[in-house]
């Protein structure tokens, strides 16, 4: 047997690559991350972490650290449309991620710019065993039946090393080469808009006049302005190559440093404003989806798999959800708990959902900014919470379900319901472990007893919670009858439900788990992996 240097090699050490490493190491899987850049970008390309994404980070124990690194305590204002920052009458917009979020989740939206979030992810991934190498580039890779051979080069001194890994995760972004080298095409509307991001430092306290902005959409120039701590701001403006405008016209070091300052002065309404340009970066709002998310032992995640316009702030969050879906499946297969066919479900689940979420981002682009590009979808966008909380894993279809549905359908995220445990209120989501979780009704003792025996025989982790008579709200939300049960996947999605106790609960659970773990011929679209560990039964009157 070939000795592997690392079970999983992740190419790309930005937001999604680091999240993949975090989720893998939480499951006990060692991994190596390589990032070609020598350090993290100062550009805050991603900042709004949706509540569902915060649930994922909460599940691995880093929610508090992310909030401490975020900017919620520094800027708690709203979103406004203005002519420029000197406009005395801003049009305030309702934040789409507020509303009924407290009813859906034990956590909430968080503003944490990417340059602050990534160090938190890297620190926790390293503590759990990940190797993270900056200034390191993937030179080549070759996969075979047993694994992938990768050649890495240290960009600082040119030295090469060859490593063996069982699986390779491509988190190398929209311009990454792995997808291209694999011959995987993309489809979509392509480039929609050209943008320039200008990071600058300036004292605008007097300009704000007590107004607390989180984001400002500007008419002059066409773009947006986002505040950060310590007098740092991001100005994003559009430019049109068709009109002869070029990205290099903004580049610091050319005559255009003055052009950047002119744009900043226009945006702030201060023709005499002094500002220091920190960084300038061109980027494109685009819509692409890879034809495949998997090629043998190589998996595409995040922007390597899909690109969507930033309207709705779905792109980065969707990439993190990719990582979460893939990580526990890799862990299950690597541990021997699941058959390798389980990995086929990554594309089967994520690709239809990604395509539907991309449609939602495009609908917002068209309605918010009146984009009339040919091929744009028509219709009314659905609620942001439905997009992030309500997607359903079904074969071949990206489906949204109202996250407030009672009971929650199979294939959707397990609902948040507050429960009283030992005088303290906890969320049902906080009771989910890193493996399977079974919720049984008050008369469901046989389910938990069977779970013990099945988990012990299969060598998998299985948490079991038996509801009390007072947990009626939870039973309704999960669709649990007094002697029924519901099975939750390791990623918090409902995998299976029984409305009664069969004559042989142990045989029933064994069959369900065999199908979920791809240990037996498949019937229904049940796509769950599992990790080896001990079964724990928890609940009332055990």
């Amino acid at each position: 047997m070939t000795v592997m240097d690392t079970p999983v090699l992740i190419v790309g050490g930005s937001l999604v690559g680091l999240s993949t490493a975090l989720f893998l190491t939480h499951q006990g899987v060692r991994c190596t991350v390589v990032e070609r850049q020598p350090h993290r970008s100062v550009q805050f390309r991603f900042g709004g972490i949706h509540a569902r994404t915060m649930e994922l980070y909460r599940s691995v124990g880093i929610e508090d650290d992310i909030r401490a690194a975020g900017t919620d305590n520094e800027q708690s204002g709203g979103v406004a449309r203005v002519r420029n920052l000197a406009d005395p009458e801003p049009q305030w917009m309702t934040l789409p991620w507020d509303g009924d979020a407290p009813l859906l989740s034990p956590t909430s939206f968080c503003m944490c710019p990417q340059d602050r979030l990534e160090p938190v992810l890297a620190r926790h991934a390293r503590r759990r065993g990940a190797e993270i190498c900056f200034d390191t580039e993937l030179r080549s890779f070759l996969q075979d039946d047993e694994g992938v051979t990768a050649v890495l080069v240290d960009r600082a001194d040119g030295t090469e090393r060859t490593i063996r890994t069982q699986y390779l995760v491509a988190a190398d972004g929209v311009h990454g080469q792995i997808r291209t080298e694999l011959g995987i095409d993309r489809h979509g509307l392509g480039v929609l808009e050209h943008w320039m991001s200008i990071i600058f430092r300036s004292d605008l306290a007097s300009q704000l006049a007590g107004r607390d902005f989180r984001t400002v959409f500007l008419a002059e120039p066409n773009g947006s302005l986002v505040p950060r701590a310590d007098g740092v701001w991001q100005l994003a403006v559009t430019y049109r190559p068709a009109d002869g405008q070029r990205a290099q016209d903004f580049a610091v070091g050319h005559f255009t440093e003055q052009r950047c300052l002119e744009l900043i002065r226009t945006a702030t309404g201060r023709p005499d404003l002094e500002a220091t340009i920190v960084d300038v970066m061109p980027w494109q709002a685009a819509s692409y989806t890879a034809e495949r998310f998997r090629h043998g032992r190589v998996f595409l995640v995040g922007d390597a798999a899909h690109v969507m316009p930033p309207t709705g702030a779905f792109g980065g969050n969707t990439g993190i959800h990719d990582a979460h879906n893939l990580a526990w499946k890799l862990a299950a297969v690597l541990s021997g708990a699941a058959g390798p066919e389980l990995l086929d479900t990554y594309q089967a689940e994520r690709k239809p959902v990604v395509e539907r979420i991309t449609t939602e981002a495009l609908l917002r682009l068209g309605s918010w900014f009146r984009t009339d590009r040919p091929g744009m979808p028509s219709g009314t966008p659905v609620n942001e919470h439905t997009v992030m909380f309500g997607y359903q894993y079904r074969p071949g279809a990206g489906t949204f379900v109202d996250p407030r549905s009672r009971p929650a359908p199979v294939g959707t995220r397990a609902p948040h319901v507050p429960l009283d445990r030992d005088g303290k209120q906890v969320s049902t989501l906080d009771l989910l472990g890193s493996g399977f979780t079974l919720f049984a009704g008050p008369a469901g003792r046989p389910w938990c007893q069977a779970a013990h025996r099945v988990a012990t025989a299969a060598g998998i982790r299985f948490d079991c919670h038996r509801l009390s008579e007072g947990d009626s709200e939870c039973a309704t939300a999960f669709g649990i009858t007094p002697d029924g049960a519901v099975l939750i996947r390791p990623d918090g999605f409902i995998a299976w439900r029984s409305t009664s106790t069969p004559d042989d609960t142990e045989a029933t659970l064994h069959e369900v788990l065999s199908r979920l773990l791809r240990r037996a011929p498949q019937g229904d679209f049940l796509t769950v992996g599992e990790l080896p560990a001990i079964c724990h039964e928890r609940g009332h009157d055990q």
Side-chain angles (χ1 to χ4, degrees):
M1 178 180 292
T2 303
V3 176
M4 300 293 173
D5 297 289
T6 183
V8 181
L9 173 64
I10 302 167
V11 179
S14 190
L15 174 72
V16 176
L18 292 173
S19 294
T20 306
L22 176 67
F23 297 140
L24 280 171
T25 53
H26 178 70
Q27 300 278 14
V29 176
R30 290 188 305 107
C31 59
T32 298
V33 181
V34 294
E35 168 56 52
R36 68 184 308 274
Q37 298 298 331
H39 49 72
R40 299 181 185 91
S41 173
V42 299
Q43 295 278 346
F44 29 108
R45 296 159 289 174
F46 169 87
I49 310 176
H50 280 275
R52 172 55 187 161
T53 308
M54 286 301 291
E55 287 180 356
L56 306 186
Y57 288 142
R58 177 188 180 98
S59 73
V60 297
I62 68 169
E63 178 187 10
D64 291 345
D65 283 358
I66 290 176
R67 293 198 183 279
T71 59
D72 281 345
N73 294 329
E74 300 165 6
Q75 50 171 102
S76 56
V79 175
R81 289 184 180 274
V82 297
R83 182 172 60 85
N84 57 41
L85 201 59
D87 192 335
E89 297 182 359
Q91 294 179 323
W92 294 97
M93 303 169 62
T94 301
L95 297 180
W97 44 79
D98 289 340
D100 57 358
L103 302 177
L104 297 174
S105 177
T107 185
S108 60
F109 181 92
C110 177
M111 285 295 296
C112 187
Q114 190 167 339
D115 62 319
R116 294 188 178 198
L117 174 60
E118 288 179 357
V120 177
L121 302 178
R123 183 171 69 253
H124 283 277
R126 280 192 173 110
R127 286 177 179 174
R128 301 173 195 210
E131 178 187 9
I132 302 175
C133 307
F134 283 88
D135 213 11
T136 303
E137 186 173 10
L138 176 70
R139 175 65 55 84
S140 64
F141 66 94
L142 181 65
Q143 57 178 318
D144 52 49
D145 291 341
E146 294 186 354
V148 180
T149 301
V151 178
L152 307 178
V153 58
D154 186 317
R155 301 182 73 219
D157 59 20
T159 58
E160 290 187 354
R161 64 169 169 149
T162 300
I163 68 171
R164 283 283 288 174
T165 181
Q166 289 179 266
Y167 296 101
L168 188 153
V169 176
D172 53 348
V174 62
H175 301 299
Q177 293 301 307
I178 294 177
R179 178 191 59 80
T180 303
E181 291 182 21
L182 292 172
I184 300 176
D185 291 332
R186 298 187 298 187
H187 63 270
L189 295 180
V191 176
L192 302 168
E193 295 175 331
H194 295 265
W195 287 79
M196 186 63 61
S197 174
I198 304 169
I199 306 296
F200 69 95
R201 187 182 303 276
S202 185
D203 182 7
L204 293 174
S206 59
Q207 187 78 6
L208 296 179
R211 295 174 297 182
D212 201 3
F213 293 113
R214 176 173 283 175
T215 300
V216 182
F217 290 108
L218 303 162
E220 300 176 356
N222 183 30
S224 63
L225 194 62
V226 179
R228 278 282 303 276
D230 303 322
V232 177
W233 293 72
Q234 178 190 42
L235 173 63
V237 297
T238 60
Y239 67 96
R240 292 176 55 86
D243 295 341
Q245 297 174 336
R246 305 171 302 168
Q248 57 265 37
D249 290 342
F250 293 85
V252 173
H254 298 274
F255 72 95
T256 53
E257 184 167 355
Q258 181 61 34
R259 174 60 177 152
C260 291
L261 185 57
E262 290 171 359
L263 290 167
I264 292 168
R265 288 171 172 171
T266 299
T268 59
R270 288 272 303 277
D272 59 344
L273 182 73
E274 294 297 324
T276 300
I277 311 298
V278 177
D279 192 55
V280 181
M281 182 186 75
W283 61 278
Q284 299 170 337
S287 175
Y288 292 112
T289 303
E291 297 291 349
R292 288 178 288 149
F293 286 10
R294 178 188 184 185
H295 187 287
R297 291 178 172 269
V298 182
F299 298 85
L300 309 184
V301 295
D303 285 353
H306 50 80
V307 183
M308 60 190 73
T311 40
F314 299 138
N317 287 278
T318 301
I320 296 165
H321 296 196
D322 294 342
H324 195 248
N325 182 287
L326 178 61
W328 59 262
K329 293 175 180 178
L330 285 172
V333 173
L334 287 166
S335 71
E341 295 82 4
L342 176 63
L343 296 175
D344 293 334
T345 68
Y346 169 65
Q347 174 176 304
E349 291 185 344
R350 292 303 300 167
K351 190 169 183 289
V353 167
V354 162
E355 290 176 334
R356 181 61 196 277
I357 294 176
T358 300
T359 297
E360 288 299 316
L362 289 169
L363 287 172
R364 283 159 176 76
L365 181 67
S367 62
W368 294 1
F369 299 103
R370 298 179 177 85
T371 301
D372 57 357
R373 179 188 173 96
M376 289 285 289
S378 60
T380 302
V382 303
N383 179 275
E384 276 76 6
H385 292 319
T386 299
V387 177
M388 285 287 98
F389 286 106
Y391 59 79
Q392 184 179 24
Y393 290 140
R394 301 299 300 166
T399 306
F400 288 145
V401 176
D402 188 333
R404 296 164 298 184
S405 299
R406 297 293 186 267
V410 170
T412 63
R413 156 192 166 273
H416 155 65
V417 181
L419 294 176
D420 182 81
R421 290 295 180 264
D422 301 322
K424 297 176 61 178
Q425 193 174 85
V426 300
S427 169
T428 46
L429 300 185
D430 291 332
L431 298 178
L432 305 181
S434 59
F436 285 120
T437 302
L438 188 78
F439 283 93
R445 178 186 290 273
W447 286 114
C448 292
Q449 293 172 335
H452 268 299
R453 295 189 292 269
V454 171
T456 300
I460 61 174
R461 182 178 179 85
F462 212 134
D463 293 339
C464 187
H465 302 269
R466 188 153 62 89
L467 304 181
S468 69
E469 296 290 349
D471 293 327
S472 58
E473 182 184 355
C474 180
T476 299
F478 280 81
I480 302 173
T481 56
D483 62 343
V486 64
L487 185 64
I488 312 300
R489 298 160 40 133
D491 63 346
F493 279 72
I494 297 175
W496 174 82
R497 178 184 285 117
S498 177
T499 57
S500 62
T501 303
D503 292 336
D504 192 337
T505 52
E506 186 172 343
T508 298
L509 281 179
H510 177 78
E511 179 184 358
V512 169
L513 287 171
S514 292
R515 291 167 60 192
L516 296 176
L517 298 174
R518 293 305 195 257
R519 290 173 169 171
Q522 300 309 302
D524 296 335
F525 190 76
L526 301 173
T527 54
V528 176
E530 189 39 67
L531 305 173
I534 327 172
C535 168
H536 298 282
E537 176 180 341
R538 301 172 182 168
H540 294 285
D541 189 27
Q542 294 177 353

